[in-house]
Amino acid sequence: MISPDIVERSLYLRGQIEYHNHRYYVLDAPEITDAEYDVLFRELAALEEAYPEIDDPNSPTKRVGGKPAEGFVPYEHALRMYSLDNAMNLEDWFVFTDRVSKGIGRNDVEYWADPKMDGLALEVIYEKGRFVRAATRGDGRIGEDVTHNMRTVMNLPLTLHGPVVPDLLEVRGEVVMSNADFASLNQRQAEDGDKVFANPRNAAAGSIRQLDPKVAASRPLRFMGYGIGQVEWATPLFSWTTQNDIMNGLKELGFAIPPEARLCKTKQEVAEYFKELMEGRSDLPFEIDGVVAKVNSLEMQRGLGFTSRAPRWALALKFPAHQVKTVLNSIRIQVGRTGVLTPVAELEPVQLAGVVVSNATLHNKGYIEERDFRIGDTVLIQRAGDVIPQVLSVDMDKRPESASPYDFPSQCPVCHSEAREDGEAVRCTNDTCPAKIVQRIIHFVSKAGLDMGGVGKKWVQRLAEDGVLVSPADLFTLKKTDLLKYERMGDKSADKFIAAVTKAKKEAVLWRLIAGLGIRHVGEQTARTLATNFENFEAIGKVTREELQELEDVGPIVAESLHDFFRLDETKLLIEKFTEAEFCPTGGRSDFDESDLPLAGKVFIFTGSLPDMTRSEAQVLVEEQGGSSVKSISKNVDYVVAGEKAGSKIAKAEKLGLEIIDFEAFLELIQRRT
Ligand code: IVH
């Protein structure tokens, strides 16, 4: 018999982890550090492994994706998932509102308005507050069961919490990917020679329509709820009577809802909201293609009913597309960190969605061939999200007679070595290609790697071109005098550069080093797994492919890639240089429990100048004792450290009732605890 303590502990841990997932993925306001989260997660995973009886399909440990499904199973929606009618302009909107007013016999109609999210429509079902099923919209009546994939979507609650949890709840919404996540996913796909996606919607849909949930788990997907199907309450007197109630209710139960959603008192307010959102659409983190306005009262909604296709109480007001035509002047080839040759269109500069666009991605060789882009063509370009513009198609009527098909290079434009096709990608075959070296070091210092804030991309490029940096390890032996040889490098910048390297060297944890080396097929998740299973970096190279494959997230392709990486002469040299520089990060997470540190969980903010120490030194002191520091003030801050000439933050801190301490008190706090 399993002890009740174990059951209780596992329930407690699941609750905690889901709580922190919600803070992080839905509210964007984490309360604990990654390391603290990992401690909880690992304890739960260990318990579940030791006691299979406590297994639960809704345990947060299942979010990594289980076994692949054998095939797609159709799912019949209890209530049909309707489509929406579209308005192409505000005139259409007012025709619609007239019809609504006539239908219910009154003019004072309130509307709920939210952005039309551009993703994949889906229904997620909860019984007694537990996630039981997810299905795509399909044709509105029958969709596909995608429960296995939706469980991996980190912002989807697996258990509902709140004052009143319905017995049955069907939530409708959209699976989306943010523009930033989409851009990095595509970059990764290109680097790995995998398929690139045309837009965030395709990326989201392509990730959900998969049999293997590991795919969805590796993609940064989000679910945004915008409505409901069936709902049943155990509490007889409780119900939702407006769309506004539904949205507040969904939020309270733990769902993310579309940003900027709002109650509009009149039809004019909806028109204003539409204009506002259209202007601000490129500032939103997600791709939206319009506004959806819904009659707020559910009773009125029932009175209006549905046509054969769409509700009579809701309308999509579509934005005009962010597209424009311009001339393709030339095609430049960029060489990435894994040697992939990426074609970039150099365009006749043109205004698009408020910015001048002169470059756009052409993805890869296949993309150019399929659409037959030729230099001199007039092409249609689009901003998918606000990130990288794309070239969509050719205007054949405007093709110059002289235009000939584009000849994709079979040589690396930088080192002139042979470039070979590999899946969708064409890759430079030279492992010591200068372009690859530069990009690798840039990746190493970037946020995806060791995050050396003070080390600029341009300088890395310069130093690598001059042969000062040949591998990431050379950063650690770089001296200030090496930098000062450059006329444009001032004393301050050189200090900042060296300080950033020193700080990163001191604080680096193993997973960041692994992720920072940009080994093919090894992303952050795999890097974290490796870091928890190996003593140090070198140790990973000492095991066989088979042993690597025993780890979670490591399949044959990843194992092969790691194996190859450690057999390269450059890697051997890299390890030697790391050792020489005494750079040997360890797990930093598995060895001790950070929550035992004296300042664990405490959040600091510094304002004004501190006597005797720089702000980053103060931050390091805090971090060493388990605390963290932030840049912007909020009620999550525990201590506001006020230096000289402290600015407006103090007023804000006072307003929020935060504890404000001076530098003396800060030192005392730190010393008292050491
Ligand atoms: S409400 C009864 N709200 O647009 C119809 N739909 O073109 C309820 N969509 O299939 C739909 N964002 O997937 C609604 N904020 C939003 C939406 C939204 C995107 C999608 C939805 C629907 C499609 C119709």
Side-chain angles (χ1 to χ4, degrees):
M1 253 295 275
I2 176 170
S3 113
D5 288 356
I6 304 278
V7 176
E8 199 178 309
R9 182 72 187 159
S10 69
L11 292 179
Y12 168 77
L13 290 167
R14 284 175 191 156
Q16 283 288 302
I17 294 169
E18 282 296 277
Y19 171 80
H20 290 297
N21 278 342
H22 182 249
R23 299 281 326 175
Y24 187 92
Y25 290 101
V26 179
L27 303 179
D28 199 12
E31 283 174 358
I32 60 172
T33 61
D34 284 8
E36 287 165 334
Y37 178 89
D38 281 1
V39 168
L40 296 172
F41 196 91
R42 263 205 312 276
E43 186 187 340
L44 177 60
L47 276 184
E48 288 177 350
E49 198 172 323
Y51 304 97
E53 309 90 298
I54 59 173
D55 192 41
D56 181 338
N58 280 345
S59 168
T61 54
K62 297 293 194 299
R63 289 195 186 267
V64 290
K67 287 200 188 71
E70 277 169 15
F72 285 114
V73 181
Y75 174 81
E76 190 173 348
H77 297 287
L79 297 179
R80 184 171 156 193
M81 287 180 79
Y82 282 87
S83 184
L84 286 171
D85 281 334
N86 292 326
M88 290 314 192
N89 48 48
L90 285 177
E91 228 169 274
D92 290 351
W93 163 242
F94 291 116
V95 171
F96 170 85
T97 55
D98 284 349
R99 213 178 321 125
V100 166
S101 294
K102 231 197 217 144
I104 48 182
R106 50 198 286 184
N107 275 320
D108 56 338
V109 184
E110 287 183 350
Y111 293 93
W112 178 266
D114 46 36
K116 187 166 189 305
M117 309 298 297
D118 203 6
L120 176 73
L122 210 87
E123 180 169 80
V124 285
I125 305 172
Y126 294 78
E127 285 169 11
K128 301 226 177 322
R130 287 173 54 84
F131 170 66
V132 292
R133 189 156 314 298
T136 60
R137 175 176 176 273
D139 65 2
R141 295 177 199 278
I142 295 178
E144 274 166 357
D145 189 322
V146 289
T147 313
H148 58 305
N149 287 331
M150 282 309 286
R151 198 169 267 133
T152 71
V153 172
M154 292 303 289
N155 79 336
L156 183 79
L158 297 176
T159 353
L160 303 181
H161 297 280
V164 191
V165 174
D167 266 358
L168 169 72
L169 177 66
E170 296 174 347
V171 180
R172 273 121 187 238
E174 205 86 355
V175 176
V176 294
M177 195 180 286
S178 78
N179 292 325
D181 285 339
F182 166 70
S184 23
L185 172 66
N186 254 359
Q187 198 183 348
R188 208 165 65 219
Q189 294 283 107
E191 290 282 351
D192 289 348
D194 290 333
K195 178 179 161 33
V196 292
F197 298 99
N199 50 47
R201 172 167 34 87
N202 288 6
S207 310
I208 290 297
R209 292 216 201 87
Q210 294 274 349
L211 291 172
D212 184 356
K214 290 248 171 11
V215 178
S218 75
R219 305 266 169 88
L221 301 166
R222 298 280 178 271
F223 177 81
M224 302 259 170
Y226 54 64
I228 57 169
Q230 300 186 98
V231 58
E232 281 167 21
W233 300 98
T235 334
L237 287 178
F238 192 86
S239 71
W240 289 329
T241 62
T242 61
Q243 187 69 29
N244 196 351
D245 285 350
I246 292 177
M247 300 305 276
N248 284 342
L250 291 183
K251 231 166 53 181
E252 220 166 51
L253 290 169
F255 293 92
I257 65 167
E260 315 286 328
R262 185 191 301 174
L263 178 67
C264 298
K265 295 276 175 202
T266 63
K267 56 189 177 188
Q268 280 83 13
E269 251 183 71
V270 174
E272 276 154 34
Y273 173 82
F274 172 74
K275 285 187 216 153
E276 229 173 80
L277 226 53
M278 184 154 70
E279 269 159 34
R281 72 192 273 204
S282 38
D283 297 333
L284 288 182
F286 296 96
E287 184 72 349
I288 65 172
D289 56 352
V291 159
V292 182
K294 299 156 199 171
V295 169
N296 190 39
S297 149
L298 300 188
E299 197 186 319
M300 288 185 199
Q301 287 187 4
R302 281 189 287 272
L304 288 160
F306 297 84
T307 67
S308 62
R309 202 186 95 84
R312 290 201 182 86
W313 44 265
L315 191 69
L317 291 79
K318 302 276 281 217
F319 295 145
H322 273 328
Q323 293 181 342
V324 70
K325 285 184 181 170
T326 187
V327 175
L328 175 60
N329 286 334
S330 67
I331 295 177
R332 182 178 77 236
I333 303 286
Q334 280 179 351
V335 186
R337 128 177 89 83
T338 57
V340 175
L341 271 48
T342 303
V344 179
E346 301 200 324
L347 305 163
E348 193 56 35
V350 62
Q351 278 278 345
L352 178 61
V355 296
V356 178
V357 173
S358 49
N359 289 302
T361 180
L362 286 162
H363 302 298
N364 53 37
K365 183 176 183 222
Y367 192 82
I368 299 181
E369 278 172 3
E370 269 161 38
R371 290 159 185 82
D372 190 21
F373 295 119
R374 302 181 183 192
I375 291 165
D377 270 340
T378 294
V379 292
L380 182 67
I381 63 168
Q382 161 175 293
R383 283 182 72 200
D386 55 355
V387 216
I388 313 159
Q390 305 182 349
V391 187
L392 292 179
S393 59
V394 176
D395 182 345
M396 285 298 178
D397 296 338
K398 294 202 174 138
R399 169 163 284 173
E401 267 178 37
S402 60
S404 54
Y406 179 69
D407 215 356
F408 201 90
S410 53
Q411 269 190 359
C412 170
V414 178
C415 70
H416 308 291
S417 308
E418 186 198 349
R420 218 175 289 151
E421 288 196 32
D422 174 8
E424 303 256 335
V426 176
R427 247 177 242 279
C428 165
T429 49
N430 173 9
D431 277 322
T432 53
C433 170
K436 284 195 207 176
I437 293 175
V438 173
Q439 294 304 324
R440 271 184 219 147
I441 306 176
I442 290 179
H443 179 77
F444 188 74
V445 305
S446 77
K447 280 207 164 55
L450 293 198
D451 194 9
M452 301 186 188
V455 177
K457 229 168 146 172
K458 286 254 152 60
W459 280 109
V460 170
Q461 204 144 3
R462 203 48 213 280
L463 292 161
E465 272 162 18
D466 290 356
V468 180
L469 294 179
V470 182
S471 89
D474 298 330
L475 284 161
F476 299 128
T477 46
L478 208 60
K479 300 208 176 42
K480 191 174 164 187
T481 46
D482 299 326
L483 298 173
L484 289 174
K485 284 182 194 141
Y486 291 85
E487 222 171 82
R488 305 199 43 195
M489 175 68 88
D491 199 61
K492 264 210 182 125
S493 316
D495 278 339
K496 206 171 123 200
F497 192 114
I498 300 286
V501 175
T502 316
K503 179 167 185 267
K505 183 179 163 191
K506 195 168 140 211
E507 293 174 5
V509 283
L510 184 54
W511 77 263
R512 283 196 168 274
L513 165 63
I514 302 168
L517 290 172
I519 305 164
R520 253 182 107 186
H521 304 295
V522 178
E524 181 181 323
Q525 192 55 44
T526 312
R528 283 178 187 271
T529 305
L530 291 166
T532 46
N533 285 286
F534 288 93
E535 183 83 14
N536 55 38
F537 180 60
E538 213 179 333
I540 307 171
K542 297 208 171 118
V543 298
T544 62
R545 270 168 280 204
E546 291 69 31
E547 283 169 296
L548 284 169
Q549 278 194 59
E550 280 166 22
L551 304 175
E552 211 170 312
D553 311 323
V554 179
I557 297 176
V558 177
E560 181 80 30
S561 172
L562 278 164
H563 181 84
D564 292 351
F565 178 80
F566 278 96
R567 289 285 100 33
L568 290 175
D569 288 339
E570 292 97 85
T571 309
K572 291 180 187 148
L573 189 65
L574 184 75
I575 293 176
E576 253 170 54
K577 284 185 179 177
F578 279 155
T579 315
E580 255 167 56
E582 291 176 27
F583 176 63
C584 186
T586 52
R589 24 190 73 238
S590 44
D591 327 329
F592 71 102
D593 188 344
E594 289 203 23
S595 58
D596 286 343
L597 288 170
L599 292 179
K602 297 291 177 211
V603 182
F604 285 74
I605 192 165
F606 295 93
T607 172
S609 58
L610 305 174
D612 308 330
M613 85 173 61
T614 66
R615 205 173 280 185
S616 39
E617 282 166 342
Q619 281 165 351
V620 171
L621 281 179
V622 165
E623 280 161 22
E624 274 173 2
Q625 302 199 26
S628 61
S629 62
V630 292
K631 286 212 184 77
S632 57
I633 207 154
S634 75
K635 61 178 189 324
N636 298 329
V637 170
D638 296 292
Y639 295 105
V640 182
V641 184
E644 273 169 45
K645 302 214 184 80
S648 62
K649 281 191 188 130
I650 294 296
K652 271 196 209 149
E654 277 169 352
K655 226 184 203 166
L656 290 169
L658 303 177
E659 181 164 357
I660 303 171
I661 59 176
D662 61 12
F663 187 65
E664 295 291 307
F666 170 69
L667 284 183
E668 219 174 281
L669 190 68
I670 292 279
Q671 273 150 19
R672 183 154 32 99
R673 311 243 188 180
T674 35

